[in-house]
């Protein structure tokens, strides 16, 4: 705090929430923030970027190794990841409008009443936010070639 002398010493982060189309051109694939900028709401941007990378690995690693990679392989990554990106960005917009915006303006002091009601009366709902943050609406799984081999004396998960 000793370094901040006035509001001029502060710089606000310019938050963008967008998607480009397409994410690919011959020889180029954009994923994560390069393809879709996320709001900091929910802290899910890094998770979505990792899921994009896993989806890309599943779809382009073998064609790359074979020397057969084509633009259709790149397009398949965007096709796979477009829906989860749109869903998460729309959830972020709803959170911004319904929760974060009113809270910052001092119009809300606690969680929205409908959210509290649902959380109290639908048992599985409490797990939903954590699952959505961790895995998103379309979870990705590492390809077999990217998985560690389990020691012989340990059972796989």
């Amino acid at each position: 705090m000793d370094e901040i002398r006035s509001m001029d010493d502060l710089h606000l982060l310019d938050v963008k929430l967008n998607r480009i189309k397409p994410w690919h051109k011959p020889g180029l694939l954009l994923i994560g923030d390069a393809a879709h900028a996320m709001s900091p709401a929910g802290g899910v941007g890094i998770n979505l970027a990792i899921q994009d990378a896993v989806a890309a690995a599943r779809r382009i690693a073998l064609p790359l190794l074979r020397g057969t990679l084509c633009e259709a392989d790149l397009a398949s990554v965007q096709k796979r990841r477009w829906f989860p990106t749109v869903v998460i960005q729309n959830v972020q917009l709803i959170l911004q409008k319904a929760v974060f915006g009113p809270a910052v303006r001092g119009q809300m002091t606690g969680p929205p009443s409908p959210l509290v009601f649902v959380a109290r009366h639908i048992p599985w709902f409490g797990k939903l936010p954590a699952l959505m943050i961790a895995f998103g609406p379309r979870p990705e799984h590492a390809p077999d070639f990217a998985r560690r081999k389990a020691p012989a004396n340990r059972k796989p998960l």
Side-chain angles (χ1 to χ4, degrees):
M1 292 302 296
D2 293 337
E3 299 297 320
I4 300 173
R5 293 181 189 86
S6 74
M7 290 302 284
D8 293 331
D9 294 331
L10 300 176
H11 302 282
L12 295 176
L13 176 64
D14 191 18
V15 175
K16 301 283 185 188
L17 190 116
N18 57 31
R19 299 177 296 275
I20 64 166
K21 189 173 180 179
W23 296 3
H24 57 87
K25 291 190 176 204
L28 173 70
L29 174 64
L30 302 175
I31 60 174
D33 283 352
H36 46 77
M38 306 299 288
S39 158
V44 296
I46 186 66
N47 294 2
L48 206 63
I50 290 169
Q51 292 167 12
D52 287 355
V54 172
R58 291 187 68 87
R59 281 157 182 74
I60 69 173
L62 291 178
L64 271 171
L65 289 171
R66 293 182 190 132
T68 61
L69 184 70
C70 65
E71 195 168 356
D73 297 315
L74 303 177
S76 74
V77 176
Q78 178 176 347
K79 184 177 180 184
R80 170 82 181 169
R81 298 302 305 157
W82 187 262
F83 171 75
T85 300
V86 171
V87 168
I88 295 296
Q89 286 181 330
N90 282 317
V91 168
Q92 288 182 320
L93 285 171
I94 291 167
L95 284 173
Q96 179 60 40
K97 290 178 182 175
V99 179
F100 302 134
V104 168
R105 290 189 298 273
Q107 298 168 330
M108 182 189 311
T109 57
S113 298
L115 187 63
V116 172
F117 177 83
V118 170
R120 285 186 180 154
H121 293 90
I122 302 175
W124 57 264
F125 182 79
K127 296 177 184 177
L128 187 62
L131 289 171
M132 287 299 286
I133 289 170
F135 302 110
R138 179 173 286 152
E140 299 293 345
H141 305 282
D144 290 339
F145 67 82
R147 295 176 187 262
R148 290 189 182 125
K149 303 292 183 239
N153 62 347
R154 196 177 101 207
K155 294 181 183 177
L157 298 175

